[in-house]
Amino acid sequence: MTKSPPRDSLTPPVAPRRPHAFTTHGITINDDYAWLKDPNWQEVLRDPSLLQPDIRTYLEAENGYTQGVLGHTDALQKKLVAEMRGRIKEDDSSVPLPDGPYAYLRKYREGGQHPLYGRTPRDGGEIDVILDGDELAKGLDYFEIGDRRHSLDHKLEAWSADTKGSEYYTIRVRDWATKQDLPDEVEETDGGVVWTADSSGFFYVKLDDNHRPMQVWLHKLGTAQANDLLVYEEQDSGWFTHIHESTSGRFCVIAGGDHETSEQRLIDVADPTAPPRLVAARELGVQYSIGDRGDELFILTNADGAIDFKIVTAPLADPVRANWRDLIPHREGIYIIDFDLFSGHLMRLERANALPSVTIRDLASGDEHAIAFDEAAYSLSASGGYEFDTTVMRFSYSSMTTPSELYDYDMATRERVLRKRQEIPSGHNPADYVTTRIMAKADDGAEVPVSILHRKGLPLDGKAPLLLYGYGSYGHAMGAGFSANALSLVDRGFVYAIAHIRGGADKGWGWYLDGKRDKKTNSFDDFAASARALIAANYTSAKRIVAHGGSAGGMLMGAVANRSGDLFAGIVAEVPFVDVLNTMLDDTLPLTPPEWPEWGNPIASEADFKTILSYSPYDNVAAKDYPAILAMGGLTDPRVTYWEPAKWVARLRATMTGGGPVLLRINMGAGHGGASGRFSRLDEVAIVYAFALWAVGLADAGA
């Protein structure tokens, strides 16, 4: 392999400075790179060809520069892709999920990029394919199937697809008998579908011009979308609205909310034109979600100061707050993540001290039992299925060393049946690896869990390179699950670590609250503390660590680069939310009003303005050395818009005094999730890993 070019041998693009200033709360902000935001960004989401030529030219120049700097790793990238693809069972299929006379499944063909969806007779037999993702994607640069839902009579399949990466989904309906789509096309939706009981139509959520899900509509088959019935419209632009089936299947649930408050309504799918029934009126700071069983609702909520949530019951006929009665009381430190309800059982997924567990409750007797697991760090998910009147639930387990295992679990007999174990065609021996966990002490004394994976026998002499992943926002926990891709780094001597920082709910909902708004900097400090703890434990050393995060985790990366960049050899920020202040000041952007509870509202609050300004990565770029940085974005991303990483990279290059290089890669044909297609996505992972190897000096080591 050719040697790396010197880091300064290529000339990076220079974004022109175009003076732009504004004053808010008496503070003037200068933003010389504001021009990188296309003023017609809404139209660009729908049609990327409309991007202004000067912006396109600049982004393409950045892509060319990144390719020039990393081009020497092309052979390494191809090798990484081949390894990662070798760990994928190419003709994989899901375990069929029963519903009435059929069992529904997803499968792939050998070499196929996209899934096929179909069904078999309930007890097994030949697969009848209704949707062929590979065929549907032909000729398209981007293709992603969203929701799929068969009608209750099993004769029709509603399906949605996004062909731009902008998350505008078009819903179509396919006939199971003819395999042909009906004339119906419902456009600019969030992709979700709930059928009416008689299978004559379905509910959906339409996105407005600012890409916000604000309206629920009822579409009747055989009619034009223009004739659809508006069922519900949310008036608060800070609230998002989505729909799903209730646990029994009897209702379409209209679920609205932001990051602090929620409210739900019910529509009987047998009476679809009836007005939605409110469950409990919104109260600031009170969140709830529901399940239904007979004449009773089961409600997961943080009401009455239940920081880690509790489960209450209420009569379906009158489910107002005054009628809520505790079933599973609040227990501080035991966070109820989610629950599912069956005709005779309640399943809840909980987390304590960053480890998840599943508890089953017999609703007749009140008896409870837990499903136990042994490893030091692991990931767990649980779900029901299409059927309500069953004793069988399904859960998935994995650890950083153990590939995913899918079990059917009989809640009555407690019998556990392994239905599928993730196959690694190229081979994987869990005994060759070690997974463990350490606790990092933050500056304020908080104990931050750090999950670790490395090869067995790795010398703990501080010489190993390490990739440290973090997120820390919205209460999302980072499960310590199996990553087949990460083995490509671990097998090259890397330690792979996940920092379970505040802002996530890894240690309960209080752990999340301690990492948001005016406490946001705890997330950044926890990540740096995790890096230092790994150094102190001799897993690695300073300048041998590559930090990695995406979306809100990309904001973490930007903040870490500003605050503790000297710890890192490199930083990878995927679709990074780095222009926090400007984004939160723009109430026309899709996510801005719903995000104010998470970050604060700098328009209305001077205190919030100053808090965000104090840490916003773009606004705090300083004249100092920075580690090598790779920023990756998507042109049609409606969540973290392309101009955030573009502006950040431009300001970094213009301000920093040394270090780097700083690289920008914008996928010109994709959005927030990156490339569509399971193999195309590996190309992007390979770029990240090649950059990480290069940052620690291993890209040219015959790797």
Side-chain angles (χ1 to χ4, degrees):
M1 187 180 293
T2 57
K3 285 288 183 182
S4 309
R7 291 188 173 189
D8 57 357
S9 66
L10 296 168
T11 303
V14 177
R17 291 177 181 265
R18 299 180 185 173
H20 171 76
F22 62 91
T23 301
T24 303
H25 301 299
I27 300 172
T28 298
I29 302 294
N30 294 299
D31 187 1
D32 293 343
Y33 303 105
W35 66 272
L36 284 166
K37 173 186 175 182
D38 193 309
N40 297 313
W41 59 267
Q42 292 100 328
E43 286 75 19
V44 173
L45 284 179
R46 293 181 172 92
D47 184 356
S49 70
L50 297 177
L51 183 69
Q52 291 197 349
D54 57 340
I55 300 175
R56 182 177 296 277
T57 298
Y58 174 70
L59 296 180
E60 289 175 345
E62 287 285 4
N63 284 345
Y65 173 66
T66 296
Q67 176 56 34
V69 173
L70 294 180
H72 69 99
T73 69
D74 282 352
L76 170 60
Q77 290 178 39
K78 288 183 174 64
K79 189 172 183 180
L80 289 165
V81 168
E83 288 175 9
M84 292 186 287
R85 185 162 176 168
R87 300 188 193 106
I88 296 174
K89 179 175 168 55
E90 293 205 6
D91 59 350
D92 198 14
S93 62
S94 64
V95 178
L97 200 58
D99 187 20
Y102 300 102
Y104 291 82
L105 76 156
R106 180 193 70 241
K107 71 184 296 293
Y108 289 89
R109 60 168 56 88
E110 192 84 21
Q113 287 264 30
H114 299 276
L116 289 71
Y117 293 93
R119 69 188 182 193
T120 67
R122 184 183 182 99
D123 296 325
E126 188 173 338
I127 297 174
D128 183 16
V129 173
I130 188 72
L131 296 172
D132 185 332
D134 291 322
E135 284 295 320
L136 292 166
K138 280 186 177 177
L140 298 172
D141 292 333
Y142 184 95
F143 179 78
E144 190 75 32
I145 293 179
D147 197 14
R148 299 90 37 216
R149 190 63 175 97
H150 54 272
S151 58
L152 302 189
D153 62 8
H154 301 275
K155 293 179 179 179
L156 300 170
E157 186 82 9
W159 64 282
S160 60
D162 171 17
T163 59
K164 297 287 193 302
S166 55
E167 300 179 44
Y168 279 112
Y169 289 88
T170 296
I171 300 170
R172 296 176 176 85
V173 177
R174 185 160 291 194
D175 189 308
W176 272 94
T178 66
K179 303 299 187 290
Q180 298 298 309
D181 286 333
L182 305 183
D184 303 70
E185 285 193 6
V186 178
E187 298 182 325
E188 298 196 348
T189 81
D190 73 348
V193 170
V194 174
W195 281 97
T196 60
D198 64 2
S199 304
S200 68
F202 55 82
F203 299 97
Y204 67 93
V205 175
K206 192 175 190 304
L207 303 179
D208 67 12
D209 288 340
N210 287 332
H211 205 282
R212 294 181 187 141
M214 306 291 288
Q215 297 177 331
V216 179
W217 292 79
L218 173 63
H219 176 74
K220 185 172 178 59
L221 295 182
T223 65
Q225 183 176 1
N227 297 325
D228 289 352
L229 175 67
L230 179 62
V231 173
Y232 173 76
E233 182 170 16
E234 175 56 51
Q235 300 300 318
D236 187 341
S237 63
W239 272 42
F240 277 8
T241 302
H242 299 288
I243 58 173
H244 62 268
E245 290 181 2
S246 69
T247 47
S248 74
R250 178 180 167 189
F251 299 102
C252 170
V253 180
I254 300 175
D258 56 24
H259 294 293
E260 290 183 339
T261 308
S262 58
E263 183 179 75
Q264 303 205 348
R265 288 171 168 80
L266 302 176
I267 305 175
D268 191 327
V269 295
D271 189 11
T273 60
R277 286 206 304 128
L278 178 65
V279 173
R282 63 190 72 178
E283 296 180 42
L284 183 64
V286 175
Q287 299 178 58
Y288 71 89
S289 59
I290 65 165
D292 69 303
R293 175 179 178 261
D295 59 3
E296 198 170 34
L297 292 182
F298 290 66
I299 302 171
L300 175 64
T301 182
N302 66 344
D304 308 313
I307 289 176
D308 285 314
F309 288 74
K310 63 180 179 177
I311 296 176
V312 303
T313 60
L316 177 61
D318 190 15
V320 296
R321 274 285 308 276
N323 291 335
W324 291 9
R325 299 290 180 265
D326 285 5
L327 178 70
I328 310 296
H330 174 243
R331 298 150 298 157
E332 189 170 352
I334 303 177
Y335 168 46
I336 305 178
I337 305 166
D338 199 3
F339 78 100
D340 208 344
L341 191 60
F342 303 84
S343 59
H345 295 86
L346 171 72
M347 178 278 295
R348 64 183 189 268
L349 184 63
E350 300 177 335
R351 184 181 297 110
N353 201 27
L355 291 176
S357 63
V358 171
T359 299
I360 306 298
R361 182 184 183 93
D362 185 304
L363 291 172
S365 67
D367 291 342
E368 292 192 353
H369 69 274
I371 306 175
F373 306 94
D374 299 326
E375 293 186 84
Y378 56 85
S379 178
L380 182 67
S381 63
S383 66
Y386 295 118
E387 298 184 320
F388 177 68
D389 190 13
T390 180
T391 61
V392 178
M393 61 155 283
R394 189 166 280 181
F395 71 85
S396 178
Y397 173 89
S398 75
S399 76
M400 298 175 83
T401 58
T402 306
S404 177
E405 297 174 342
L406 186 72
Y407 292 88
D408 276 349
Y409 183 79
D410 191 305
M411 296 176 284
T413 67
R414 306 190 184 186
E415 180 184 12
R416 182 188 306 191
V417 178
L418 177 65
R419 295 299 307 275
K420 181 182 178 182
R421 178 176 284 118
Q422 181 182 355
E423 293 183 44
I424 309 297
S426 59
H428 173 71
N429 181 7
D432 292 340
Y433 302 88
V434 174
T435 183
T436 188
R437 193 165 70 154
I438 64 170
M439 303 300 284
K441 182 162 284 190
D443 292 342
D444 63 357
E447 297 277 335
V448 183
V450 184
S451 299
I452 300 168
L453 173 71
H454 60 80
R455 291 281 301 190
K456 189 175 183 179
L458 179 83
L460 295 183
D461 56 9
K463 295 180 180 178
L466 183 145
L467 188 138
L468 181 61
Y469 186 85
Y471 186 75
S473 290
Y474 305 117
H476 293 330
M478 293 292 103
F482 184 74
S483 169
N485 291 342
L487 298 178
S488 284
L489 288 180
V490 173
D491 287 345
R492 286 171 169 81
F494 262 75
V495 176
Y496 180 75
I498 301 170
H500 303 279
I501 60 178
R502 280 174 284 186
D506 303 73
K507 292 180 71 174
W509 202 247
W511 195 246
Y512 159 56
L513 298 177
D514 280 344
K516 67 178 293 192
R517 296 190 71 151
D518 59 333
K519 298 178 180 179
K520 187 66 229 169
T521 55
N522 284 339
S523 304
F524 317 143
D525 296 342
D526 287 358
F527 193 83
S530 299
R532 287 191 290 267
L534 289 160
I535 293 168
N538 285 324
Y539 283 102
T540 189
S541 56
K543 294 295 186 182
R544 296 290 285 163
I545 305 174
V546 177
H548 185 200
S551 196
M555 178 198 64
L556 170 70
M557 295 299 101
V560 164
N562 289 334
R563 298 161 68 94
S564 50
D566 56 326
L567 290 170
F568 303 97
I571 292 177
V572 179
E574 295 193 71
V575 289
F577 178 38
V578 284
D579 194 10
V580 184
L581 183 62
N582 280 308
T583 293
M584 289 297 101
L585 285 168
D586 186 351
D587 60 7
T588 69
L589 290 172
L591 293 187
T592 293
E595 299 285 89
W596 286 332
E598 181 76 14
W599 313 107
N601 183 344
I603 299 173
S605 166
E606 181 178 354
D608 288 351
F609 181 95
K610 290 179 177 178
T611 295
I612 295 171
L613 179 61
S614 73
Y615 69 75
S616 174
Y618 177 66
D619 295 287
N620 286 276
V621 170
K624 61 180 181 180
D625 286 5
Y626 279 82
I629 292 174
L630 172 62
M632 303 173 73
L635 181 61
T636 56
D637 187 345
R639 298 171 183 260
V640 179
T641 49
Y642 74 84
W643 60 82
E644 294 213 22
K647 289 172 61 178
W648 180 49
V649 165
R651 179 170 278 182
L652 277 165
R653 288 219 200 96
T655 309
M656 58 195 278
T657 56
V662 177
L663 308 177
L664 174 66
R665 184 181 185 273
I666 298 292
N667 189 323
M668 303 299 280
H672 198 65
S676 63
R678 56 179 178 158
F679 303 134
S680 296
R681 175 58 185 155
L682 295 181
D683 294 336
E684 296 186 335
V685 177
I687 293 169
V688 171
Y689 287 0
F691 173 85
L693 287 159
W694 176 56
V696 298
L698 293 179
D700 301 318

